[in-house]
Amino acid sequence: MADLLRLLLRVAEKAANVARVCRQEAPLFQLLVQEKTGDDKNKKFLQDFKTLADVVIQEMIRHDVGAQFPEMVGYIHGEESNKFENGLGESVTVTVCATEQGTAALLASVLDGDETAASLLARAIHQDPESTVHAGTDGLTVPLSPSELGIWIDPIDATSQYIEGREEVLEEGHLSPSGLHCALVLIGVYLRSTGEPVMGVINQPFNYKDPAGGGWRGKHFWGVSCGAIRVCSVSRPSDRPDQSKGGRAMSLVLSSSEKEVVKEALASLCGPDKLVYASGAGYKILCVIQGLADVYVLSEGSTFKWDSCAPHALLLALGGGIVDLNKCLQPSSEPDDHQAELVYHQSNTECKGADRWANGGGLVAYRDQAQLHSIIGALRGKV
Ligand code: 2IP
Ligand code: CA
């Protein structure tokens, strides 16, 4: 299934292009912002944003993966519903058509006849990205077949940062709490039978802005975790000289909306200056993957399967993982209990709308088991 990995890297790059094109055209960007309603609303925000870019990217990934791997059609899920309402109150189902012209015509009906915007978008969707060499994917063998796999897509995670659009210059080795770089394209692959994540691709569309006016460049990350095969485009922390743990207190990344009681318990474990806050569930997990933070703790059920599946595969490939915090806090839970790792194949049947796919017990994303155990120890009986 190394073919699937290469395809996902290519579609994620296409997705990043679409995300960049949508921001480049200011009037187009205004048109794209819509509010979510009803059960699909992420209860965390008073007002959540749904962009046409999100829907279009998700459908493009679904289309491209389904074309190469027909066995996966029906198992490609995402955050967004592809029903879109235009300014006239008409409901349009957004799909990617066989031709660029067909897609442009469909998009024009969503964009109230704005053909310029529709053609721009359709071009980005149908254009193949410049062929890039994905180091490490050649010669990789993944013993899986498409009929065993399902996919979770988050077309743009941290939509609020994407919409706000603040530009930050990223400093090597440092976590930058908010801004456009927090927006990520996340594509995760899981085993239908067990729900275990096996492959993940992350694309950061706004990683670097050319100071000479050449626009934004993205960056991608990938990982495979399948039995004994554990490969990641990011090197293991132990292989990075600057990341050795010798005497260094662990650093934690949290959501700015984290509960006081959790912050207090964690501050007494590693010191208040070791708690940092950042936007985007995917970006926070990426910080753990990159070693910019050791652990991400979230006590609430405000993330979803599409937020965590892709980065979870990278963490597994690095020897870490993502566990359900509530499960770990149960008195019966044993350290090293793999039952607590998040899985991706079953919905919370008692919930409605997006909450059916929430990581309802909160989570801890970690690279190091020992650090996970200290976090659980510090939170037990307090949350
Ligand atoms: C959101 C986004 C938010 C995050 C939330 C996710 O996804 O990543 O930033 O909240 O959990 O579901 P926070 O930043 O407080 O961690 P989206 O932007 O795709 O809705
Ligand atoms: Ca998300």
Side-chain angles (χ1 to χ4, degrees):
M1 290 305 290
D3 281 0
L4 176 64
L5 175 62
R6 282 185 284 269
L7 170 67
L8 296 184
L9 283 162
R10 206 166 57 239
V11 289
E13 185 53 31
K14 243 164 88 167
N17 273 338
V18 177
R20 285 184 290 256
V21 165
C22 290
R23 277 209 60 89
Q24 271 157 22
E25 302 295 316
L28 168 58
F29 187 71
Q30 292 305 319
L31 284 171
L32 300 181
V33 186
Q34 275 206 342
E35 231 181 279
K36 284 190 184 181
T37 52
D39 287 334
D40 280 339
K41 194 173 161 101
N42 179 347
K43 64 178 179 217
K44 188 156 188 176
F45 296 100
L46 285 179
Q47 161 167 290
D48 200 350
F49 297 110
K50 172 176 177 173
T51 64
L52 179 58
D54 260 339
V55 180
V56 161
I57 289 171
Q58 183 178 302
E59 290 313 305
M60 181 193 73
I61 298 171
R62 207 200 293 272
H63 172 268
D64 287 12
V65 174
Q68 191 168 331
F69 297 100
E71 304 93 322
M72 297 185 77
V73 172
Y75 292 89
I76 307 171
H77 322 286
E79 173 172 14
E80 305 294 346
S81 131
N82 61 350
K83 300 254 183 309
F84 210 84
E85 204 171 284
N86 67 11
L88 304 171
E90 299 160 345
S91 177
V92 181
T93 300
V94 175
T95 52
V96 171
C97 305
T99 63
E100 188 178 318
Q101 289 69 22
T103 304
L106 183 74
L107 290 174
S109 67
V110 186
L111 293 168
D112 298 341
D114 185 339
E115 289 182 11
T116 321
S119 325
L120 264 169
L121 261 181
R123 185 170 319 145
I125 294 162
H126 286 269
Q127 204 167 48
D128 260 330
E130 284 171 28
S131 65
T132 25
V133 182
H134 296 119
T137 64
D138 281 340
L140 181 71
T141 323
V142 188
L144 291 168
S145 101
S147 56
E148 298 177 273
L149 305 173
I151 290 191
W152 278 111
I153 304 166
D154 191 341
I156 301 176
D157 185 45
T159 327
S160 57
Q161 296 301 311
Y162 173 67
I163 288 167
E164 194 180 309
R166 204 159 28 75
E167 302 185 357
E168 295 281 334
V169 178
L170 298 185
E171 210 184 316
E172 183 76 30
H174 287 268
L175 182 161
S176 198
S178 59
L180 259 180
H181 62 279
C182 296
L184 301 177
V185 178
L186 306 171
I187 312 177
V189 183
Y190 65 89
L191 277 181
R192 286 183 210 171
S193 55
T194 61
E196 210 182 315
V198 287
M199 194 183 278
V201 165
I202 301 174
N203 194 307
Q204 188 175 33
F206 306 94
N207 175 265
Y208 172 79
K209 191 172 187 184
D210 179 0
W216 281 99
R217 251 191 273 144
K219 186 168 180 173
H220 65 260
F221 310 84
W222 60 267
V224 172
S225 165
C226 172
I229 301 169
R230 289 182 180 224
V231 198
C232 187
S233 65
V234 180
S235 58
R236 277 169 204 272
S238 56
D239 301 338
R240 301 176 209 146
D242 55 322
Q243 294 293 325
S244 67
K245 280 188 284 158
R248 186 175 61 85
M250 106 175 100
S251 63
L252 306 182
V253 64
L254 307 173
S255 164
S256 52
S257 64
E258 187 50 83
K259 293 196 207 82
E260 276 311 313
V261 55
V262 173
K263 292 192 220 169
E264 279 161 24
L266 295 172
S268 48
L269 174 71
C270 49
D273 57 327
K274 289 288 175 185
L275 305 189
V276 289
Y277 301 91
S279 289
Y283 178 67
K284 284 189 276 289
I285 313 175
L286 181 60
C287 287
V288 178
I289 293 168
Q290 294 179 291
L292 305 179
D294 293 311
V295 184
Y296 163 34
V297 180
L298 175 71
S299 67
E300 302 213 53
S302 51
T303 66
F304 299 86
K305 298 301 171 197
W306 48 80
D307 294 319
S308 54
C309 186
H312 193 170
L314 276 77
L315 277 175
L316 289 172
L318 292 170
I322 308 184
V323 288
D324 179 309
L325 175 60
N326 264 353
K327 273 194 191 160
C328 290
L329 293 174
Q330 298 306 312
S332 57
S333 159
E334 300 279 337
D336 301 329
D337 182 359
H338 290 293
Q339 300 299 319
E341 286 287 322
L342 295 181
V343 285
Y344 294 87
H345 61 323
Q346 279 159 353
S347 64
N348 310 316
T349 42
E350 71 285 4
C351 299
K352 279 170 86 186
D355 280 344
R356 279 183 305 134
W357 297 105
N359 296 317
L363 58 82
V364 183
Y366 64 97
R367 292 188 318 263
D368 182 294
Q369 284 274 350
Q371 291 180 329
L372 168 66
H373 296 161
S374 3
I375 299 281
I376 300 301
L379 293 178
R380 195 162 262 147
K382 307 239 170 65
V383 195

